[in-house]
Amino acid sequence: MMLGLLAIALIIQFRTRSYTPWIYWLTVVLVSIVGTQITDFFTDTLGVSLYVSTTIFTILLAVVFIVWYLLERTLKITSIDTVKREAFYWAAILTAFALGTAAGDLATEALGLGFMWGTIIFGTLIVACGVAAKLGMSSVTAFWIAYVLTRPLGASIGDLLTQDRNYGGLGLGASMTSVLFLVIIVILVAREQSNVRKYGVLIKGQKATGGQRRDLAWAFGASAALVIAASLMTGSPLVQQPATADSASGQHATQGPLGDLSPFSTIVDDVTAKVKSGDLAAATTRVKDLETSWDSAEAGMKPKSPTNWGTMDKAIDGELTALRAGQPNQTDCLKASVNLQKVIKSLSA
């Protein structure tokens, strides 16, 4: 579906003969989504290691740049004035987002940095690119390095906002965070569209007219205001205190290497009961909640203990495979459920 939308956006973008902010940034958003999904497909569906996918996408991006430069003798985005150069540009952007996703997941998940440190580290690296460009580094090189880094930075910030407070996030949820980012994008693109109408599009050697610093300061202030407002609306404080007790029972939650697994245990117990009663259809429906919850918690849990996370992930996959077989067998489903219960119990000790 997203590839179809991206294809439509690219057709419109290529047919547009002048820079039009809303078309361009719509295409960027769709390219970022597809680039992310490509990496997730390799990692989650095909089981390709993040080390391997990061290496592959690095090589692919290098190939795009080399061929682009050999044919056009420039990688400057200010020189994209032909269809061929624009095609190379979008190929580079798509590969850059795929690489950024792989590298970001490698750092925050496989290497266990977490999304808070990911936000700090990737943000600092982007600032370093700007400083390096001021000190004499090629602006083209600095730009493309920073562009790759925007993907893991955005993902880290997104995880920081969406993840549950028990995992160190703000607990805004995916829907609220998506709305926040969409509002910010729409506001910034609208202002850019207004500036284009007012001042025109820059040409080589021309300095920007208008208050760029004022726009940046305004955008930052609007972003901060939206985040604070969302936090207040959802009742999620900006500075989280670690959860020490189960709100339902009043008892201290058992904390293992991955944190509190009681929400998953509750779902698994429910699935197991349905399997024992022979209602495999209901168990299959209920296990979807387990899959969704586990996927949502991945960014917060996996950095705590990648090995233990992998152990439980494998047990959950066993449960999903048994229930979603062409002709599910009650004995196999029950065996998978019992095994998953044992894994949860061992990781909660």
Side-chain angles (χ1 to χ4, degrees):
M1 182 180 68
M2 297 312 302
L3 279 171
L5 292 176
L6 175 59
I8 294 172
L10 283 171
I11 291 172
I12 297 173
Q13 171 64 28
F14 273 95
R15 290 174 63 88
T16 303
R17 304 318 306 160
S18 61
Y19 172 62
T20 305
W22 76 267
I23 297 176
Y24 171 80
W25 286 107
L26 173 62
T27 308
V28 169
V29 169
L30 291 173
V31 166
S32 72
I33 294 173
V34 172
T36 298
Q37 290 179 328
I38 289 173
T39 298
D40 289 343
F41 173 75
F42 275 104
T43 304
D44 299 333
T45 303
L46 300 183
V48 177
S49 165
L50 287 170
Y51 293 94
V52 174
S53 58
T54 299
T55 301
I56 291 175
F57 289 126
T58 299
I59 294 173
L60 287 177
L61 185 58
V63 170
V64 171
F65 283 143
I66 291 171
V67 176
W68 182 0
Y69 185 79
L70 290 176
L71 293 179
E72 301 297 323
R73 311 309 298 180
T74 179
L75 299 178
K76 292 183 178 180
I77 62 170
T78 53
S79 298
I80 299 176
D81 48 16
T82 66
V83 173
K84 182 188 292 185
R85 290 181 178 182
E86 185 170 6
F88 276 119
Y89 172 76
W90 289 113
I93 294 298
L94 179 61
T95 311
F97 276 121
L99 171 59
T101 300
D105 289 347
L106 177 64
T108 58
E109 296 177 12
L111 299 181
L113 293 180
F115 40 81
M116 173 62 79
W117 276 109
T119 298
I120 295 172
I121 291 173
F122 292 121
T124 301
L125 288 174
I126 289 178
V127 172
C129 287
V131 173
K134 293 289 186 181
L135 296 177
M137 181 181 184
S138 167
S139 59
V140 174
T141 301
F143 169 82
W144 283 111
I145 292 176
Y147 208 116
V148 171
L149 291 170
T150 60
R151 176 60 190 88
L153 173 64
S156 297
I157 295 174
D159 287 337
L160 184 63
L161 294 175
T162 60
Q163 287 299 307
D164 188 88
R165 285 174 288 176
N166 292 328
Y167 308 140
L170 299 182
L172 299 186
S175 298
M176 178 63 73
T177 302
S178 297
V179 170
L180 287 175
F181 282 138
L182 178 61
V183 169
I184 293 170
I185 290 172
V186 169
I187 291 174
L188 294 179
V189 172
R191 286 185 64 83
E192 186 171 354
Q193 186 76 56
S194 175
N195 286 339
V196 168
R197 287 196 298 265
K198 186 175 181 180
Y199 303 112
V201 178
L202 296 180
I203 60 176
K204 293 181 181 179
Q206 179 183 357
K207 292 185 177 181
T209 306
Q212 284 187 318
R213 292 182 179 178
R214 183 172 62 253
D215 284 349
L216 288 173
W218 183 89
F220 178 80
S223 302
L226 284 169
V227 171
I228 293 173
S231 178
L232 293 175
M233 285 189 293
T234 58
S236 301
L238 292 178
V239 179
Q240 303 292 348
Q241 298 296 326
T244 57
D246 186 284
S247 58
S249 64
Q251 300 296 319
H252 289 282
T254 303
Q255 297 289 331
L258 294 176
D260 180 18
L261 298 179
S262 59
F264 306 105
S265 180
T266 299
I267 298 175
V268 175
D269 289 344
D270 193 16
V271 171
T272 303
K274 295 181 185 303
V275 171
K276 287 181 177 179
S277 69
D279 193 351
L280 299 185
T284 302
T285 300
R286 179 59 168 144
V287 85
K288 179 64 179 178
D289 295 331
L290 174 65
E291 181 182 31
T292 302
S293 300
W294 182 247
D295 288 343
S296 298
E298 177 180 352
M301 280 191 165
K302 192 173 182 179
K304 294 181 178 180
S305 179
T307 300
N308 288 310
W309 182 90
T311 298
M312 183 160 169
D313 188 60
K314 184 177 180 179
I316 291 176
D317 284 343
E319 176 85 293
L320 295 174
T321 300
L323 284 168
R324 292 174 177 175
Q327 294 181 333
N329 178 278
Q330 183 179 18
T331 301
D332 293 339
C333 292
L334 184 58
K335 182 179 179 181
S337 291
V338 171
N339 177 64
L340 180 52
Q341 286 177 318
K342 290 180 179 178
V343 170
I344 293 176
K345 184 176 180 180
S346 68
L347 294 178
S348 298

